[in-house]
């Protein structure tokens, strides 16, 4: 019955449909209340005393910290019939609601006109994301040219809640709705600094689109158009149009490509822009080099596993002198295993050899109470696969990490939500669902590659994705994870709010984490403990003493500049609390192909924004958890994740978080103290224009240092007339190390 009165649009490209100029903007004027009442949908309900709310942001920072559950938004709006008159298609009205967290019901003048009910159709399922609805223009609920009351009922299962984002509007559905310029193919890098790619014009509409596709490349530094071409383009449902191009002689920077399709019949057009990738990371030398942190912590008496991360032309052979008693090295694979019973700091000399020579490095193996001495470098399934994660995807990720990334120190393969079966076993043990037929077999496989592996749960009865949590089964679950062979646990608050009093105080916030900490202490395995409770109660102030190796400082990240930069540049208060074995976690990386599963898209961050993301997270000593499809690591993403000098900043053994030393509307400078008295400095351009930095060699930032090295390009900067001069692209960064 409900299905007849509304249509949920399948969003092409996963974002809200573009608003047109005549659309009625709904960004301002909303009223809000927490709670739930059927009366709140009524047009006659008096909402004057409700709170004014800014729909650019979730409800948490607007007076409702930690609030999960129902909330209602209301707005009074005139819908002019001129919308219809100006429209090319006149049959449906389109409502853009930016992002909804988690599910919603939309009432227009008291009538339910749309809803997004989650997987099994109930509003209480977790299913956040972009929302756009089409409503028939002849629906009697619409009062044309009169005041309408739009009321939106939201249910939030955990974390951020409400509606938020940029695009709230009502307009007519457009001939260009469900038309997409699909740019998700990879760029290929060719001769003469050229880039090639194919893009597609796709639609699900039966309408025959006929017109031209204009292709334009501009240099954002000068504004100059460096390439332009126009092609006839025809397409319809099932018959996409493909446009392939090559652009040559590009400088080492990003350009902007604009694709404009113009439909002849309707005169309508759709515009999409993207930027071009450029690689700064040099190719690794064929000579051996040992990467990774200088320290590694493990507990006495527990299974030990460490892969010596090294690049160089294969085959490589490995040697380790000074290993503590109980450990042995496989000279062909570089994997060190065993058990050490005696506490202590053991300096071990690692040597890696190939035909071209050898390289040595001292690694301090610290056997004691602390593990995870430097931030985890790994992969987590969530930002790519969401709840569609399965055994095969995890194995592919492990294999790819082993082949392409472990030589740089990457070594955790973590399963997020979605692995749990519907019911526990008769004895109460947690069981994996059919997507994970053999958990022990899976962890054995990951360990055989020298890598570690992680799992996910919630202290509540249910996880954020609605699966079984560990509530009242903490000891039993910790034991199961250890028996399966897991090395990392992400523990996500989610439905724990249902079993703790509202507005939990500090002891109540700590309680579930203390409980699981004591359960993990009872098993004979080193299991990294990652808190996920979105930063509540300034978790950075008590995460370490509660036994966390890391703690999320924020709600969930998205692959947008707003989300990534708000989170990253907001970390200064938490920074002083990072230290060896315990780190702030500003959430997982959104580079490469992401999508929260099952379908993926290229990160919506520009390439310069991706450089900023990795640079900032490294300065912050954040765990770097790749959130993309590891099966398709394109050349740019790989270059971003395999820069040993950038990773060395993240993995520095001092484990300090960078501090923000200056901030204007257009630029920020963050400084991280490193071992040996060195510093890493990030100059961030937060504006949308190119910037030139003239840094005096006597500037106090450089005081006492004689050399400055560009971490991405791995080159020393040369001062001219005592000045270092460099350009920073829009939303980009210059990351340097001074020594
Ligand atoms: C929360 C967390 C995410 C992810 C999901 C899984 O939203 O913050 O990182 O783990 O739950 O459901």
């Amino acid at each position: 019955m409900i299905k007849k009165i509304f249509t949920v649009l399948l969003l092409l490209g996963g974002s809200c449909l573009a608003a047109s100029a005549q659309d009625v903007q709904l960004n301002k004027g909303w009223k809000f209340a927490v709670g739930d009442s059927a009366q709140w949908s009524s047009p006659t309900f008096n909402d004057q005393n409700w709170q004014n709310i800014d729909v650019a942001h979730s409800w948490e920072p607007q007076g409702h910290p930690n609030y999960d559950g129902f909330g209602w938004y209301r707005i009074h709006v005139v819908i002019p019939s001129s919308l219809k008159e100006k429209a090319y298609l006149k049959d449906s009205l389109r409502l853009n609601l930016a992002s909804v967290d988690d599910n919603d019901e939309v009432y227009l003048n008291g009538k339910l006109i749309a809803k997004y009910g989650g997987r099994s159709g109930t509003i209480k399922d977790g299913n956040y994301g972009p929302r756009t609805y089409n409503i028939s223009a002849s629906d009697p609920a619409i009062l044309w040219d009169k005041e309408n009351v739009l009321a939106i009922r939201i249910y939030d299962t955990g974390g951020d809640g409400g509606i938020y984002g940029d695009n709230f509007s009502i307009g007519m559905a457009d001939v260009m709705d469900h038309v997409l310029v699909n740019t998700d193919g990879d760029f290929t890098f060719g001769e003469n600094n050229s880039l090639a790619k194919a893009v597609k014009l796709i639609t699900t509409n039966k309408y025959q689109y006929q017109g031209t596709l204009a292709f334009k490349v501009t240099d954002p530094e000068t504004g100059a158009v460096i390439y332009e071409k126009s092609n006839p383009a025809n397409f319809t449902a099932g018959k996409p149009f493909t446009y392939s191009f090559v652009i040559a002689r590009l400088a080492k920077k990003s350009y902007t490509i604009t694709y404009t399709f113009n439909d002849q019949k309707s005169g309508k057009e759709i515009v999409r822009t993207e930027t071009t990738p450029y690689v700064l990371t040099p190719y690794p030398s064929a000579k051996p080099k040992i990467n990774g942190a200088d320290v590694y912590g493990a507990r006495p008496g527990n299974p030990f596993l460490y892969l010596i991360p090294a690049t160089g032309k294969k085959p490589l052979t490995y040697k380790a002198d000074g290993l503590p008693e109980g450990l042995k090295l496989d000279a062909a694979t570089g994997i060190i295993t065993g058990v050490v019973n005696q506490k202590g700091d053991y300096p071990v000399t690692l040597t890696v050899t190939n035909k071209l020579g050898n390289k040595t490095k001292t690694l301090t193996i610290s056997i004691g109470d602390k593990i995870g001495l430097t931030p985890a470098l790994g992969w987590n399934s969530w930002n790519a696969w969401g709840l569609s994660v399965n055994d095969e995807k995890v194995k592919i990720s492990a294999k790819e990490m082993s082949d392409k990334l472990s030589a740089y120190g990457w070594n955790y393969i973590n399963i997020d939500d979605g692995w749990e079966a519907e019911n526990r076993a008769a004895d109460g043990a947690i069981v994996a669902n059919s997507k994970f037929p053999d958990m022990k077999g899976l962890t054995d496989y990951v360990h055989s590659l020298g890598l570690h592996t992680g799992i996910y749960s919630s202290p509540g009865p249910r996880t954020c994705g609605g699966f079984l949590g560990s509530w009242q089964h903490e000891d039993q679950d910790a034991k199961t994870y250890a028996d399966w062979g897991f090395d990392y646990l992400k523990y996500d608050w989610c439905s724990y709010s249902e079993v703790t009093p509202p507005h939990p105080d500090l002891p109540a916030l700590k309680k579930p984490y203390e409980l699981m900490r004591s359960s993990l202490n009872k098993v004979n395995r080193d299991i990294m403990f990652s808190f996920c409770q979105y930063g509540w109660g300034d978790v950075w102030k008590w995460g370490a003493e509660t036994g966390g190796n890391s703690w999320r400082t924020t709600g969930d990240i998205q692959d947008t500049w707003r989300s990534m930069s708000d989170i990253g540049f907001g970390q200064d208060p938490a920074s002083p609390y990072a230290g060896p074995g315990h780190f702030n976690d500003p959430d997982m990386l959104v580079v490469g192909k992401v999508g929260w599963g099952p379908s993926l898209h290229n990160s919506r961050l520009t390439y310069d924004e991706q450089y900023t993301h990795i640079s900032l997270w490294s300065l912050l000593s954040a765990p770097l958890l790749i959130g993309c499809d590891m099966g398709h690591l394109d050349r740019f993403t790989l270059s971003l994740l395999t820069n040993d000098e950038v990773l060395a900043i993240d993995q520095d053994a001092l484990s300090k978080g960078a501090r923000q030393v200056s901030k204007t509307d257009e630029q920020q400078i963050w400084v991280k103290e490193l071992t040996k008295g060195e510093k890493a400095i990030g100059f961030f351009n937060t504006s949308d224009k190119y910037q030139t930095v003239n840094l005096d060699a006597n500037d106090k930032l450089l005081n006492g240092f004689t050399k400055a090295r560009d971490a991405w390009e791995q080159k020393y900067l040369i001062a001219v007339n005592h000045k270092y001069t460099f350009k920073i692209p829009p939303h980009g960064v210059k990351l340097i190390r001074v020594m």
Side-chain angles (χ1 to χ4, degrees):
M1 153 101 183
I2 284 168
K3 276 198 177 115
K4 282 194 189 132
I5 51 171
F6 67 81
T7 328
V8 176
L9 295 180
L10 271 180
L11 295 172
L12 288 166
S15 55
C16 270
L17 298 169
S20 87
Q22 60 266 24
D23 285 2
V24 180
Q25 294 303 316
L26 301 177
N27 290 326
K28 295 209 162 61
W30 290 87
K31 295 281 191 178
F32 176 71
V34 295
D36 194 29
S37 160
Q39 287 177 28
W40 293 351
S41 67
S42 162
T44 54
F45 174 76
N46 182 352
D47 56 27
Q48 262 178 6
N49 294 329
W50 278 22
Q51 161 190 1
N52 294 320
I53 193 150
D54 177 2
V55 287
H57 305 282
S58 61
W59 63 50
E60 273 80 8
Q62 304 187 70
H64 308 281
N66 309 354
Y67 178 73
D68 303 323
F70 281 104
W72 281 74
Y73 292 76
R74 287 171 57 97
I75 193 167
H76 298 245
V77 55
V78 174
I79 306 178
S81 53
S82 59
L83 279 181
K84 248 192 298 192
E85 282 140 32
K86 288 183 193 147
Y88 182 77
L89 299 178
K90 302 187 190 293
D91 43 358
S92 21
L93 200 62
R94 185 225 295 144
L95 172 64
N96 284 327
L97 281 188
S99 276
V100 175
D101 196 344
D102 291 336
N103 286 327
D104 58 279
E105 285 171 2
V106 180
Y107 295 86
L108 186 63
N109 302 314
K111 181 180 168 196
L112 178 68
I113 53 159
K115 78 167 199 160
Y116 198 101
R119 282 173 303 139
S120 57
T122 108
I123 195 167
K124 289 197 174 183
D125 277 339
N127 215 330
Y128 60 87
R131 296 293 140 83
T132 299
Y133 296 112
N134 271 15
I135 306 141
S136 163
S138 58
D139 192 315
I142 306 170
L143 304 176
W144 293 100
D145 297 316
K146 294 202 185 101
E147 186 180 271
N148 291 259
V149 176
L150 190 62
I152 301 175
R153 179 184 185 225
I154 308 262
Y155 184 79
D156 174 35
T157 60
D160 288 348
I163 53 180
Y164 47 83
D166 295 319
N167 186 8
F168 292 87
S169 60
I170 295 185
M172 296 305 290
D174 189 86
V175 76
M176 286 301 172
D177 286 359
H178 309 288
V179 174
L180 176 74
V181 184
N182 185 316
T183 56
D184 282 335
D186 288 346
F187 281 97
T188 39
F189 292 73
E191 305 269 290
N192 289 327
N193 294 325
S194 70
L195 280 177
K197 179 165 179 164
V199 297
K200 282 192 163 77
L201 289 167
I202 301 177
T203 185
T204 47
N205 296 336
K206 295 250 159 54
Y207 180 87
Q208 177 65 54
Y209 294 85
Q210 221 163 3
T212 48
L213 176 66
F215 171 79
K216 189 165 89 174
V217 183
T218 39
D219 178 345
E221 191 179 349
T222 58
V225 176
I226 64 156
Y227 191 85
E228 212 168 2
K229 198 161 185 264
S230 197
N231 279 72
N234 303 327
F235 59 99
T236 186
K239 288 190 186 151
F241 172 79
T242 303
Y243 178 65
S244 306
F245 61 85
V246 183
I247 338 165
R249 288 181 293 282
L250 294 169
K252 213 184 243 188
K253 63 181 181 183
S254 238
Y255 296 81
T256 307
I257 304 184
T258 311
Y259 308 94
T260 309
F261 171 73
N262 188 294
D263 179 56
Q264 243 159 29
K265 253 183 293 170
S266 62
K268 295 275 179 174
E269 64 178 33
I270 178 170
V271 183
R272 172 133 189 180
T273 58
E274 68 170 331
T275 59
T276 60
Y278 64 106
V279 170
L280 293 176
T281 304
Y283 271 118
S285 160
K287 291 184 183 161
K289 169 155 194 296
I290 306 177
N291 298 308
D294 296 341
V295 289
Y296 183 73
R299 297 204 178 96
N302 288 353
F304 182 101
L305 176 69
Y306 180 84
L307 170 69
I308 300 171
T311 49
K313 193 166 167 29
K314 291 185 175 155
L316 298 171
T317 53
Y318 302 82
K319 201 158 112 21
D321 295 312
L323 280 178
E325 200 186 319
L327 296 188
K328 65 173 194 317
L329 164 76
D330 180 328
T333 60
I335 300 174
I336 303 174
T337 51
V339 174
V340 188
N341 290 318
Q342 197 61 45
K343 284 189 173 183
D345 283 346
Y346 301 90
V348 177
T349 307
L350 305 175
T351 308
V352 176
T353 308
N354 70 5
K355 271 190 189 154
L356 299 163
N358 63 56
K359 192 81 189 174
T360 60
K361 167 182 166 165
T362 305
L363 170 75
T364 301
I365 294 183
S366 180
I367 304 294
D369 298 329
K370 275 195 184 172
I371 62 169
L373 296 178
T374 60
L377 290 182
W379 173 83
N380 170 296
S381 56
W382 185 250
N383 290 355
W385 302 117
L387 298 173
S388 73
V389 61
N390 61 25
D391 178 88
E392 190 198 356
K393 287 175 170 139
V394 175
K395 281 193 182 133
I396 290 173
S397 304
K399 180 75 174 66
E400 291 290 311
M401 181 170 283
S402 166
D403 289 349
K404 296 181 180 153
L405 297 174
S406 63
Y408 298 86
W410 295 91
N411 74 54
Y412 280 90
I413 289 289
N414 295 348
I415 306 168
D416 205 279
D417 204 357
W419 61 269
E420 312 87 336
E422 237 348 276
N423 297 299
R424 288 178 174 268
D427 65 354
I430 189 85
V431 182
N433 59 37
S434 58
K435 294 188 292 160
F436 290 91
D438 179 7
M439 276 297 197
K440 182 76 177 76
L442 178 57
T443 65
D444 283 348
Y445 172 70
V446 179
H447 292 152
S448 75
L449 302 169
L451 306 176
H452 295 102
T453 180
I455 195 153
Y456 166 98
S457 188
S458 168
R462 294 266 158 195
T463 65
C464 295
F467 289 82
L468 280 181
S470 294
W471 188 55
Q472 295 184 332
H473 290 274
E474 293 80 3
D475 276 357
Q476 207 174 9
D477 285 0
K479 183 166 180 318
T480 305
Y481 305 147
D483 290 347
W484 277 337
F486 282 104
D487 312 292
Y488 190 112
L489 172 66
K490 171 172 169 183
Y491 208 44
D492 193 353
W493 180 280
C494 302
S495 70
Y496 190 77
S497 293
E498 289 169 17
V499 292
T500 193
H503 310 294
D505 57 9
L506 202 54
L509 285 171
K510 286 182 178 178
K511 193 174 159 197
Y513 291 93
E514 287 167 342
L515 191 60
M516 185 46 101
R517 177 71 268 168
S518 79
S519 301
L520 291 172
N521 290 347
K522 293 175 195 159
V523 302
N524 283 331
R525 243 195 120 71
D526 287 356
I527 299 182
M528 296 263 272
F529 194 17
S530 146
F531 296 7
C532 180
Q533 44 83 287
Y534 334 112
W536 294 346
D538 293 351
V539 58
W540 44 90
K541 296 184 180 156
W542 49 267
E545 74 196 37
T546 315
N549 294 105
S550 66
W551 45 82
R552 276 272 294 276
T553 53
T554 74
D556 288 11
I557 197 168
Q558 294 175 18
D559 56 327
T560 61
W561 168 248
R562 173 184 282 188
S563 169
M564 186 276 287
S565 64
D566 275 3
I567 290 177
F569 292 124
Q571 295 299 305
D572 191 56
S575 263
Y577 299 92
H582 51 90
F583 297 98
N584 294 302
D585 172 6
D587 206 2
M588 300 171 291
L589 303 178
V590 280
V591 301
K593 292 195 193 302
V594 296
W596 293 267
S599 57
L600 304 178
H601 58 266
N602 285 335
S603 171
R604 288 174 290 164
L605 295 182
T606 66
Y607 296 98
D608 282 311
E609 289 166 357
Q610 297 188 46
Y611 278 120
T612 290
H613 187 14
I614 301 295
S615 304
L616 186 52
W617 265 234
S618 298
L619 285 163
L620 294 169
S621 287
L624 300 181
L625 293 169
I626 301 166
C628 68
D629 174 8
M630 294 273 285
H632 293 99
L633 284 171
D634 59 283
R635 162 120 192 258
F636 173 81
T637 308
L638 203 55
S639 78
L640 207 56
L641 301 174
T642 54
N643 190 306
D644 48 341
E645 294 198 17
V646 174
L647 291 172
I649 293 174
D650 182 69
Q651 293 293 301
D652 183 83
L654 203 59
S655 298
K656 294 263 191 184
R659 302 304 310 267
Q660 182 189 60
V661 301
S662 80
K663 175 183 182 223
T664 66
D665 283 348
E666 299 184 332
Q667 201 192 84
Q668 300 200 16
I669 304 177
W670 288 68
V671 177
K672 173 175 182 172
E673 287 175 41
L674 304 173
T675 44
K676 299 188 210 127
E678 298 184 0
K679 277 185 192 172
I681 310 175
F683 297 85
F684 295 94
N685 175 354
T686 52
S687 80
D688 47 19
K689 302 227 158 42
Y690 256 84
Q691 281 177 10
T692 301
V693 172
N694 280 305
L695 185 64
D696 199 295
N698 296 322
D699 190 288
K700 67 176 189 311
L701 267 178
L702 305 180
N703 207 356
F705 299 99
T706 52
K707 285 189 203 157
R709 192 166 159 86
D710 182 319
W712 282 104
E713 295 213 67
Q714 308 194 349
K715 276 188 199 154
Y716 287 101
L717 298 182
I718 297 170
V720 177
N721 297 331
H722 297 287
K723 272 194 180 10
Y724 294 107
T725 303
F726 44 85
K727 287 182 187 154
I728 318 179
H731 294 182
V733 60
K734 190 78 168 180
L735 179 64
I736 66 173
R737 183 180 187 120
V738 291
M739 48 201 96

